Amino acid sequence: MVTVQKRPGGAGVRRLRNTSLQLKIVMAVTGAISVLYLVLHMIGNLKIFLGRSELDTYAEFLRTVGEPALPYSTLLWIIRVVLTVSIVLHIVSATILARRAARARPVRYAATPKTPGSYAARTMRWGGVIILLFIVYHILDLTTGTLNPNGVGGAVYDNVVSDFAPSRWYVTLFYTLAVVAVGFHLRHGIWSALQTLGHSSGARRHAQKVTSTVIAVVLTVGFLAVPFAVTFGLVA
Amino acid sequence: MYSDFTIGDPVVDTAAPEGPIEDRWEKRRFGVKLVNPANKRKMKIIVVGTGLAGGSAAATLAEAGYQVASFCYQDSPRRAHSIAAQGGINAAKNYRNDGDSVQRLFYDTVKGGDFRARESNVHRLAEVSVQIIDQCVAQGVPFAREYGGLLDNRSFGGVQVSRTFYAKGQTGQQLLLGAYQALERQIDAGRVEMHSRHEMLELVVVDGRARGIVARDLVTGEIETHLADAVVLASGGYGNVFYLSTNAKGCNVTASWRAHRKGALFANPCFTQIHPTCIPVSGDHQSKLTLMSESLRNDGRIWVPKEMGDLRPPQEIPEDERDYFLERQYPAFGNLVPRDIASRAAKNVCDAKRGVGPSGLGVYLDFADIIERTGRDAVAAKYGNLFEMYERITGEDPYTTPMRIFPAVHYTMGGLWVDYDLQSTIPGMFVVGEANFSDHGANRLGASALMQGLADGYFVLPVTIGDYLASNHLEPVDPDAPEVGEARKTVDDRIRKLLSIDGTRTVDSFHRELGHIMWDYCGMERTEDGLRKALDLIAELRREFWRTVKVPGSAATLNQSLEKAGRVADFLELGELMCLDALHRNESCGCHFRAESQTEDHEAKRDDENFGYVAAWEYAGAGEPPVLHKEDLNFSYVHPSQRSYK
Amino acid sequence: MRLTLKIWRQSDADATGTMVGYQVDDADEDMSFLELLDVLNEKLILSGDEPVAFDHDCREGICGSCSMVINGHPHGPQKATTACQLHLRHFRDGETITIEPWRAAAFPVIKDLVVDRSAFDRIIQAGGYVSVPTGAAPDAHATPVPKVHADRAFTAAACIGCGACVAACPNGSGSLFLGAKITHLGELPQGQPERDGRVVRMVEQHDAEGFGGCTNTGACTVSCPKEIPLDVISQLNHDYIAATSGRGRIA
């Protein structure tokens, strides 16, 4: 045992790697950007209930906005780049933190009762992986059209309707599971970001947790409304 | 059997300055020789213990520029038992404008100690108390505050002014964390070498001066020698000689006792404080006693049934069949009489077979009146955390069932003899905090232990130790010097002996038995017959210990049984000296109540003429009768009077 | 009471440990949990075995020495209670109880249930103090402190440094301990001059010791015997962002 306790590195030495707290801040900020995007995405999706032309026009608007000052699709690409960078940073930070956590807790307890910690950790880590897989599928399905039965560029309404047709109930089911995973991720994630950014307190915690849950539920319902409407024939 | 002793020359405190009492500390501070800052860097001081006294001393000495090596047996200096002090810390700030002053704190403390403490020391303590609060607040100690943002005070321990500063029921913890943080800052600065999980097992004395210690690394088992220019013992009290006490399990006398065996006088060992409000023992398995804050006596009423052997639940005993014995015997102070009086009264009713609870060793502390008067919520706001703690331990709800309390050993006023400079009779060895004997006399008032520990460590020792270091030209000690080798050999031999006996009884069983002897015969009431009997029993128990103790494991690893064995071996020697001291002091004073010395109405009767001295005992060798050196106590400012609380 | 204990036994830091089963037939419901171990140890010693090593000292819930995970809960299942104040009346006759050391890379096992928590000391060394040498203090009433701040500082300062938060955390993070000290000193005027440097240095030390990052699971505060609130971690984050983003008071 080291008897003379001296701090490793000593006072004032700058360490090169990021502190866990810095990584958490990155996750909070990139998570917040993603939530903002999800809100806009959901509002766009819901235009399907206004009819084919409304939705397709909106999709086209996203590409033509800013023209002629900006080239075609500029805004869309800016959004895509920001979002991709955010999600990559979010995942990289999460991975580093998860690996550090695994190193920090190398031995498991023999007795493992249900603890509040394990629930949130499971939701976030495994939920995050499910969401990532879903995003990949989702892009191939409804962005590039590769996996979409219709797959016509610009024909958003038709693509969606054919995607969630009653016969393709399993797509709707997978989509539902993924969106629910997103909901759980947000329920803990939004509050967690507020805590990480130092805006939580005992007095505000309840209100913040309620708000997180409400946002998560609204987004989940909003995103599920479209596939369910298609699958059950409300939108055809 | 050695129930005998010899009388040696009187011991005189030569460091004490003369003159008007309020000038003495100033005079001493001016009189000390100063150490050149460049020389301080070359001087090394060992501090054993990291409680309030040791932690504050180590930090302050390092700030002054000395090299410090600090030792504690716990895994971190923050865990020293000062952390468990609940009530508060006194200071003569007079923030309440209620007539408090240094003079009044001095007076209360000398009187509270039943005229067995030194006036000069106590006055210095009262002076320094003011600076302690300033220092602690500046460190960030979160004392209780009022809405105006100023510090709150409460009255404590039966005094008539509000001079006690507190942080809920965790004052000791918060003060200790202040000292601990100051210490950690110095560790980081490289000025303190911290040795946690180390236990001092021997003092190294070279050319008559304390020059180091032998310590065991409790994890690796390695025996290490640490040499220095001076050694400071801040190793706390020895209440665990009673086995059951409010002390932490690790608290021990070993550092002090090893120093005593090397020539340091041990003063007033029989002065042990028994605190009246502890949770009673629940069975043979009991390992430790828990204190309930004294503040409970402000609102709780203490009673027992009038009839012997009344086994009814307390709620079923009607008012006129209850004996509120403190209110009856001491109408002026009632339930707020000092600790020693309250403890002995409880013992007396239990001896008369009127005690309550499964063991019959308990009295009720009842909150029914105050709950009825002010409501449950008001009581919960004041004592909620204490009530919860009581329920956690006993499983009983004090809101509906009266608490059961019983006295328990809490603090030891006796300790190594030191002069005004806090230096022991071994030059170069200083003793601070509970480990020394100096400031509380025969009884300690509430909220004054924290004050003394911090006064010694922050403000007194750092000044006086400099005088020793500046006045003596100390050559470095050769690590191969015969005295060093001999000290190491003593430690090695003892460890080997303890491990080799491989007998039939565990260390704890000896410790428990010693505790019973001490509690029965050297506890709240002492008699000549009982003490003589105890002396025989302890001697016999000690012989049996060295014949039949079983210490498993090896010396080369973490071995908690071995640690305990060494401590209990020293308690077995200390216990004998305590009984001898109690036997020779044929008077009642403070916490020391001799049945032979009482007034007609069974109150303590002090004998200033024959016992107005400090009894400082010299170790004369194994099996030899110890030598008593007396230090006469003179009272020029507070005139001795018999205490009365009727 | 009759209890079966499954206890982690490990002879030293380098040894591989294992869970070992023991039977205690004469447990009493008024015993504290540590007294149960005392009883077991007495038996083990007399039967020639090595007793179970465990850290303990004050046995009244304030020193922070005791450190064992009981049935998967640091300090056992009872809320706001250290192992030393946990009593057997909260267990059933015949129950099997699992006892393990704190599990975290930053708290390596020394022997059986004893772990090395010196990492906490080094975090404090990195800045968990106010630099005020003895004798340099102004009068205690020179700076009034609003009661709400004093009370919040006290709540955070009640931390006993036991490490249950780390033991409970799925990430082995010491954020609750760290946040408690940051909040204690940051709430008081005396702590302001060093506030920014303190949080940066202490966070770096925390990471260098091998503690994981916080994922706001709240497991720490549930296990904390002193009920240190989760707010202190938010405060830690807030102070860290302020200090590193240039919004801080003094770099």
Side-chain angles (χ1 to χ4, degrees):
Chain A
M1 180 190 192
V2 182
T3 54
V4 180
Q5 298 182 354
K6 190 76 192 91
R7 296 200 280 124
V13 174
R14 280 210 76 78
R15 296 183 174 85
L16 290 174
R17 65 174 208 167
N18 292 308
T19 63
S20 297
L21 192 39
Q22 283 166 336
L23 296 172
K24 287 293 301 173
I25 293 164
V26 168
M27 290 192 67
V29 172
T30 55
I33 292 169
S34 308
V35 172
L36 202 64
Y37 170 78
L38 285 180
V39 171
L40 297 174
H41 186 355
M42 179 193 74
I43 292 169
N45 286 5
L46 292 177
K47 289 188 189 295
I48 200 167
F49 292 107
L50 301 177
R52 176 182 286 120
S53 67
E54 279 281 341
L55 183 64
D56 291 359
T57 310
Y58 173 69
E60 186 57 17
F61 159 80
L62 288 175
R63 286 161 178 79
T64 58
V65 67
E67 281 190 320
L70 297 171
Y72 183 73
S73 277
T74 304
L75 179 70
L76 202 59
W77 276 106
I78 290 174
I79 291 174
R80 282 172 179 167
V81 168
V82 169
L83 198 61
T84 308
V85 169
S86 293
I87 289 176
V88 167
L89 285 176
H90 197 80
I91 293 170
V92 168
S93 302
T95 310
I96 298 173
L97 284 168
R99 287 178 53 189
R100 282 188 194 171
R103 271 204 304 276
R105 242 323 255 291
V107 184
R108 297 173 62 89
Y109 289 111
T112 49
K114 265 180 84 125
T115 57
S118 59
Y119 161 73
R122 259 202 314 275
T123 330
M124 297 313 277
R125 297 227 175 97
W126 289 109
V129 171
I130 293 169
I131 293 165
L132 176 64
L133 292 174
F134 168 70
I135 290 171
V136 172
Y137 169 77
H138 188 56
I139 289 171
L140 292 173
D141 179 13
L142 286 167
T143 308
T144 66
T146 321
L147 297 178
N148 192 278
N150 192 40
V152 178
V156 180
Y157 189 93
D158 292 342
N159 290 351
V160 170
V161 169
S162 55
D163 202 21
F164 299 116
S167 61
R168 284 167 57 87
W169 57 270
Y170 49 90
V171 172
T172 306
L173 183 65
F174 174 53
Y175 194 95
T176 306
L177 289 176
V179 169
V180 168
V182 170
F184 276 108
H185 203 80
L186 294 185
R187 197 177 79 114
H188 180 69
I190 294 172
W191 173 77
S192 184
L194 288 169
Q195 167 86 358
T196 298
L197 296 175
H199 294 295
S200 183
S201 73
R204 277 177 296 197
R205 184 166 308 125
H206 183 66
Q208 289 175 340
K209 286 199 163 175
V210 169
T211 310
S212 299
T213 308
V214 168
I215 294 173
V217 168
V218 167
L219 282 170
T220 308
V221 170
F223 277 112
L224 288 181
V226 176
F228 274 71
V230 174
T231 306
F232 290 101
L234 297 174
V235 171
Chain B
M1 173 176 131
Y2 78 58
S3 57
D4 209 356
F5 61 92
T6 61
I7 294 188
D9 296 334
V11 57
V12 183
D13 178 3
T14 53
E18 305 273 307
I21 197 155
E22 45 301 330
D23 298 340
R24 287 180 194 167
W25 177 227
E26 199 47 47
K27 213 166 143 187
R28 182 65 194 131
R29 266 155 47 95
F30 182 69
V32 298
K33 285 194 187 164
L34 298 178
V35 182
N36 173 339
N39 289 343
K40 279 184 185 166
R41 283 195 291 277
K42 295 180 213 148
M43 291 176 173
K44 185 166 179 181
I45 301 170
I46 285 171
V47 182
V48 180
T50 58
L52 286 181
S56 61
T60 305
L61 291 168
E63 286 162 6
Y66 296 106
Q67 297 173 43
V68 176
S70 171
F71 294 78
C72 66
Y73 71 78
Q74 297 89 347
D75 70 328
S76 164
R78 67 178 291 151
R79 308 204 199 282
H81 197 54
S82 302
I83 204 152
Q86 298 174 356
I89 177 166
N90 286 333
K93 280 285 196 186
N94 193 29
Y95 281 156
R96 286 306 178 90
N97 197 27
D98 55 3
D100 198 12
S101 61
V102 167
Q103 180 67 20
R104 190 175 298 279
L105 176 54
F106 159 68
Y107 176 88
D108 286 348
T109 308
V110 170
K111 183 176 173 223
D114 216 4
F115 304 95
R116 292 294 174 264
R118 287 185 194 137
E119 281 190 331
S120 298
N121 285 54
V122 176
H123 199 277
R124 174 176 68 190
L125 179 66
E127 287 171 56
V128 167
S129 69
V130 178
Q131 286 170 276
I132 296 172
I133 299 303
D134 298 342
Q135 184 65 31
C136 295
V137 166
Q139 288 172 338
V141 170
F143 284 119
R145 288 182 183 263
E146 296 177 321
Y147 282 99
L150 299 179
L151 295 161
D152 194 15
N153 291 120
R154 61 184 173 196
S155 126
F156 201 79
V159 296
Q160 283 149 323
V161 291
S162 288
R163 62 160 75 104
T164 303
F165 295 79
Y166 67 100
K168 284 199 182 160
Q170 285 130 276
T171 318
Q173 179 198 26
Q174 294 308 319
L175 294 173
L176 183 64
L177 291 181
Y180 159 75
Q181 288 166 194
L183 175 63
E184 292 296 323
R185 176 170 163 254
Q186 294 304 314
I187 294 170
D188 194 47
R191 290 193 283 258
V192 176
E193 260 176 44
M194 186 68 224
H195 302 271
S196 300
R197 291 198 195 268
H198 274 66
E199 181 166 24
M200 168 182 163
L201 295 176
E202 197 54 80
L203 182 73
V204 175
V205 180
V206 180
D207 296 334
R209 295 177 187 281
R211 295 305 301 271
I213 63 169
V214 178
R216 180 167 179 268
D217 180 330
L218 299 181
V219 174
T220 64
E222 196 179 332
I223 304 299
E224 302 169 356
T225 307
H226 296 269
L227 300 172
D229 296 289
V231 175
V232 179
L233 294 193
S235 46
Y238 49 87
N240 270 351
V241 69
F242 290 87
Y243 186 70
L244 288 181
S245 79
T246 64
N247 286 7
K249 291 298 285 176
C251 291
N252 67 83
V253 77
T254 292
S256 296
W257 193 254
R258 300 329 285 180
H260 172 59
R261 288 177 60 119
K262 283 274 167 108
L265 301 187
F266 206 117
N268 298 335
C270 79
F271 288 168
T272 49
Q273 179 163 74
I274 317 270
H275 198 292
T277 53
C278 297
I279 298 176
V281 175
S282 69
D284 292 338
H285 51 76
Q286 189 103 15
S287 62
K288 120 121 214 166
L289 296 171
T290 303
L291 180 73
M292 299 302 292
S293 171
E294 189 159 27
S295 61
L296 291 170
R297 284 200 280 145
N298 288 329
D299 289 308
R301 297 180 69 194
I302 295 176
W303 63 276
V304 290
K306 281 185 176 164
E307 287 301 313
M308 259 168 70
D310 187 341
L311 296 175
R312 285 175 293 175
Q315 297 89 336
E316 289 173 20
I317 299 178
E319 199 60 30
D320 60 354
E321 292 177 43
R322 300 176 176 190
D323 178 15
Y324 294 90
F325 56 93
L326 286 177
E327 296 170 23
R328 173 172 59 78
Q329 293 172 59
Y330 305 98
F333 279 69
N335 294 300
L336 291 173
V337 290
R339 293 175 179 180
D340 52 339
I341 311 258
S343 295
R344 209 166 47 249
K347 176 194 186 309
N348 289 339
V349 293
C350 293
D351 285 352
K353 303 266 182 265
R354 292 196 289 140
V356 300
S359 62
L361 294 175
V363 299
Y364 290 125
L365 177 59
D366 198 337
F367 293 88
D369 279 9
I370 182 88
I371 290 172
E372 202 186 311
R373 207 164 61 238
T374 65
R376 186 187 159 113
D377 291 348
V379 173
K382 221 165 167 181
Y383 302 117
N385 55 344
L386 292 169
F387 279 28
E388 280 167 30
M389 177 160 94
Y390 181 84
E391 187 171 3
R392 211 174 289 142
I393 293 172
T394 63
E396 291 175 359
D397 175 11
Y399 291 103
T400 53
T401 306
M403 280 186 184
R404 284 177 293 112
I405 55 163
F406 197 66
V409 175
H410 182 54
Y411 186 90
T412 53
M413 281 73 68
L416 291 173
W417 186 90
V418 289
D419 64 12
Y420 188 74
D421 282 357
L422 305 179
Q423 186 165 213
S424 71
T425 46
I426 300 175
M429 189 182 88
F430 293 76
V431 189
V432 292
E434 191 180 350
N436 76 25
F437 88 107
S438 71
D439 296 356
H440 306 299
N443 178 46
R444 183 176 65 74
L445 290 180
S448 62
L450 304 186
M451 171 170 71
Q452 186 227 340
L454 290 179
D456 287 1
Y458 281 133
F459 296 108
V460 179
L461 175 85
V463 174
T464 58
I465 201 170
D467 186 62
Y468 170 78
L469 293 167
S471 312
N472 295 283
H473 184 69
L474 299 166
E475 294 295 335
V477 176
D478 177 5
D480 298 323
E483 293 94 335
V484 177
E486 180 248 341
R488 284 188 71 113
K489 188 171 179 304
T490 312
V491 170
D492 284 331
D493 289 350
R494 202 159 107 113
I495 289 175
R496 202 169 309 118
K497 178 86 197 288
L498 286 168
L499 287 168
S500 69
I501 299 167
D502 195 28
T504 52
R505 280 186 68 177
T506 62
V507 175
D508 274 357
S509 78
F510 283 103
H511 197 174
R512 243 178 254 270
E513 189 174 339
L514 173 66
H516 278 303
I517 298 171
M518 295 302 294
W519 181 249
D520 288 347
Y521 303 111
C522 198
M524 280 181 281
E525 183 175 319
R526 298 143 180 200
T527 64
E528 180 173 349
D529 288 348
L531 290 163
R532 286 196 188 284
K533 185 167 176 198
L535 284 165
D536 288 344
L537 291 171
I538 295 170
E540 176 51 34
L541 187 65
R542 197 174 57 239
R543 277 192 291 275
E544 195 185 335
F545 175 87
W546 285 105
R547 239 185 5 249
T548 65
V549 74
K550 185 175 178 77
V551 184
S554 86
T557 61
L558 179 69
N559 186 340
Q560 292 172 326
S561 304
L562 178 63
E563 294 165 26
K564 277 196 261 187
R567 294 168 192 163
V568 171
D570 289 330
F571 280 136
L572 283 163
E573 295 181 14
L574 167 77
E576 211 165 9
L577 186 66
M578 287 172 68
C579 291
L580 186 64
D581 185 45
L583 178 62
H584 109 282
R585 191 173 279 280
N586 191 9
E587 65 157 348
S588 298
C589 64
C591 289
H592 171 64
F593 186 83
R594 275 291 294 270
E596 295 88 348
S597 178
Q598 47 185 314
T599 60
E600 282 153 17
D601 48 359
H602 308 296
E603 294 300 326
K605 197 164 120 199
R606 220 175 52 231
D607 180 355
D608 292 329
E609 200 172 319
N610 291 308
F611 294 99
Y613 61 80
V614 173
W617 297 90
E618 181 189 347
Y619 182 78
E624 295 299 316
V627 184
L628 172 64
H629 300 271
K630 296 179 184 175
E631 179 197 337
D632 277 327
L633 292 169
N634 299 304
F635 294 91
S636 322
Y637 293 86
V638 188
H639 293 291
S641 56
Q642 203 74 31
R643 293 190 303 164
S644 173
Y645 298 93
K646 295 275 179 190
Chain C
M1 295 170 85
R2 167 188 285 245
L3 294 169
T4 305
L5 306 179
K6 281 163 61 187
I7 304 178
W8 180 259
R9 301 303 307 262
Q10 180 175 339
S11 59
D12 60 61
D14 302 323
T16 42
T18 177
M19 299 296 291
V20 178
Y22 300 97
Q23 187 85 27
V24 177
D25 295 329
D26 49 354
D28 184 309
E29 64 169 20
D30 284 331
M31 279 181 186
S32 74
F33 201 82
L34 301 191
E35 284 163 357
L36 171 69
L37 292 183
D38 289 344
V39 169
L40 172 67
N41 279 344
E42 291 285 284
K43 284 189 206 309
L44 291 177
I45 293 169
L46 291 177
S47 64
D49 292 325
E50 273 230 34
V52 180
F54 62 97
D55 267 327
H56 65 103
D57 205 23
C58 79
R59 296 204 179 191
E60 50 184 289
I62 193 74
C63 76
S65 291
C66 55
S67 45
M68 54 189 75
V69 174
I70 301 165
N71 286 343
H73 301 279
H75 290 302
Q78 207 189 0
K79 195 166 153 278
T81 304
T82 53
C84 62
Q85 293 213 305
L86 176 67
H87 282 68
L88 297 188
R89 66 182 76 91
H90 301 290
F91 295 88
R92 292 184 319 275
D93 190 20
E95 193 170 340
T96 298
I97 304 174
T98 311
I99 310 170
E100 300 168 82
W102 282 176
R103 293 294 189 192
F107 290 164
V109 173
I110 292 173
K111 183 176 184 177
D112 297 341
L113 304 173
V114 177
V115 299
D116 179 356
R117 286 171 287 189
S118 56
F120 270 7
D121 289 328
R122 290 186 293 272
I123 290 176
I124 298 297
Q125 283 162 33
Y129 48 74
V130 174
S131 298
V132 51
T134 303
D139 184 86
H141 270 180
T143 314
V145 183
K147 187 167 161 51
V148 282
H149 292 282
D151 287 351
R152 186 158 185 251
F154 177 84
T155 303
C159 168
I160 57 174
C162 64
C165 47
V166 176
C169 178
N171 310 306
S173 173
S175 292
L176 195 70
F177 168 80
L178 180 54
K181 191 47 66 191
I182 292 296
T183 305
H184 162 207
L185 297 176
E187 278 292 321
L188 297 171
Q190 290 82 5
Q192 298 312 312
E194 297 169 288
R195 188 166 175 180
D196 291 336
R198 172 187 307 126
V199 68
V200 172
R201 291 199 313 274
M202 288 177 75
V203 164
E204 287 180 358
Q205 188 63 36
H206 168 273
D207 283 23
E209 295 292 348
F211 292 105
C214 170
T215 54
N216 305 322
T217 65
C220 50
T221 189
V222 173
S223 290
C224 176
K226 297 295 149 185
E227 302 185 293
I228 304 289
L230 213 49
D231 296 23
V232 301
I233 299 182
S234 187
Q235 185 70 53
L236 162 72
N237 299 342
H238 175 275
D239 281 18
Y240 185 77
I241 292 169
T244 53
S245 65
R247 284 192 287 124
R249 288 143 294 269
I250 296 155

